[in-house]
Amino acid sequence: MNDSIAFFSGFGPKDLWILAQAAWQTLLISALSISGGTVVGIFFGWILSESKVVGAITIGFILDAFRSIPLIIQLVLFYNLFNVIGLAVSPFMAGVIILGVYTSALVASVARGGIESVGTPMRRAGRSLGLSYFQTMRHVVWPIGLRAVFPSWVGVALGVLKDSALVSVLGHPELLKVARDLITRTQQPLLVLAVAGAFYFALSFPISRYAAHLERKWQS
C-alpha cells in the first residue's frame, strides 16, 4: 500500500488536467497540419502524376527533400529561419506550417500513386461520355484513385499525429513537452509517460477505427 501511495505521490488531478490541455494542443497542431497538408499534397500529387515538365520535376525534388530530411531538423531549421528573416511566428504556428509542409510531401506521394492507379481505359470512358478533362478527374479519377490509397493516407495522418511530439523542441506546450516538464517536477517518469501515452492512444484510436469503418462501408 505504501509503495502504491509513493508511486502516485506528486501527481494529482491538476497534473492530469494539464496533460489534457497539452493533448488538446497536440490535437490542434495535428488537425491543422494534416488538413492543410492533405489539400496541398493532393494538388502536388496531381501535378506530379499529370505533368512531365521541368516544374513538376522541381516540385518532386523539393518534396523528396522534405521526405528525406528528419522532421526535427526541419522544425529547428525553419523556425530559426523565420526569426532570421524577421517573421514573428509563434512556436504553435511554426509547428503547424512546418508539419503541414512535411505532411504535404508525404501525401503528394500517396496521392500520385492513387491517381496513377486509375488506368487509361477508365479515363477514356469518362471522356467518351462527354466529360471534360477536369470533370473526368473530379468524377472518375480522384474518387477512385484517392479511395484506393485511403489506408495509406490514414497511416500518414497517424504518423503526423505522433510526429507532432517533435514540436516540443520549439518550446510549444504540446503533450510531450508538458509531460517532460511534469516528470522534472514530480519525479514520476513512468506514471507521467503512461498517462501521456494514454492520451496519444485516445487521439489515435478513433481515427484508425473510423477509417476501418469507412473502408468496410466502401467495400460493401
Side-chain angles (χ1 to χ4, degrees):
M1 178 67 70
N2 292 334
D3 291 339
S4 299
I5 295 175
F7 181 74
F8 288 98
S9 64
F11 185 88
K14 183 179 179 181
D15 298 317
L16 185 63
W17 174 244
I18 291 174
L19 283 175
Q21 291 178 310
W24 172 247
Q25 290 296 313
T26 293
L27 180 61
L28 281 179
I29 293 174
S30 302
L32 292 174
S33 302
I34 293 170
S35 300
T38 297
V39 173
V40 176
I42 291 175
F43 175 73
F44 283 148
W46 167 59
I47 291 177
L48 293 172
S49 65
E50 297 294 315
S51 177
K52 306 301 180 183
V53 297
V54 176
I57 297 175
T58 303
I59 292 174
F61 176 79
I62 295 173
L63 294 179
D64 282 338
F66 276 101
R67 286 194 294 265
S68 303
I69 299 174
L71 180 57
I72 191 169
I73 294 178
Q74 296 181 40
L75 286 165
V76 175
L77 177 64
F78 287 104
Y79 181 61
N80 285 282
L81 181 62
F82 290 148
N83 293 327
V84 168
I85 63 179
L87 289 178
V89 180
S90 66
F92 174 83
M93 187 55 62
V96 169
I97 294 172
I98 299 166
L99 263 180
V101 174
Y102 176 73
T103 303
S104 69
L106 299 177
V107 172
S109 178
V110 171
R112 178 183 182 179
I115 293 172
E116 291 180 346
S117 69
V118 181
T120 302
M122 298 194 69
R123 302 182 186 222
R124 289 177 177 172
R127 299 302 293 270
S128 67
L129 294 175
L131 299 178
S132 66
Y133 169 79
F134 287 105
Q135 288 175 327
T136 302
M137 294 297 296
R138 177 183 176 186
H139 298 290
V140 179
V141 177
W142 288 340
I144 297 175
L146 297 182
R147 183 177 295 184
V149 296
F150 179 73
S152 298
W153 176 85
V154 173
V156 170
L158 292 176
V160 171
L161 176 61
K162 290 179 286 187
D163 287 341
S164 66
L166 296 177
V167 179
S168 62
V169 301
L170 305 183
H172 184 71
E174 51 74 57
L175 188 52
L176 180 61
K177 183 180 187 306
V178 171
R180 291 168 60 185
D181 292 342
L182 285 177
I183 289 173
T184 301
R185 181 170 62 81
T186 64
Q187 297 299 308
Q188 295 287 351
L190 293 179
L191 178 59
V192 174
L193 290 177
V195 175
F199 275 115
Y200 276 114
F201 177 79
L203 295 176
S204 303
F205 185 71
I207 298 175
S208 60
R209 297 308 303 165
Y210 184 66
H213 168 72
L214 284 180
E215 288 186 64
R216 290 193 298 268
K217 182 177 179 181
W218 289 339
Q219 293 173 359
S220 60

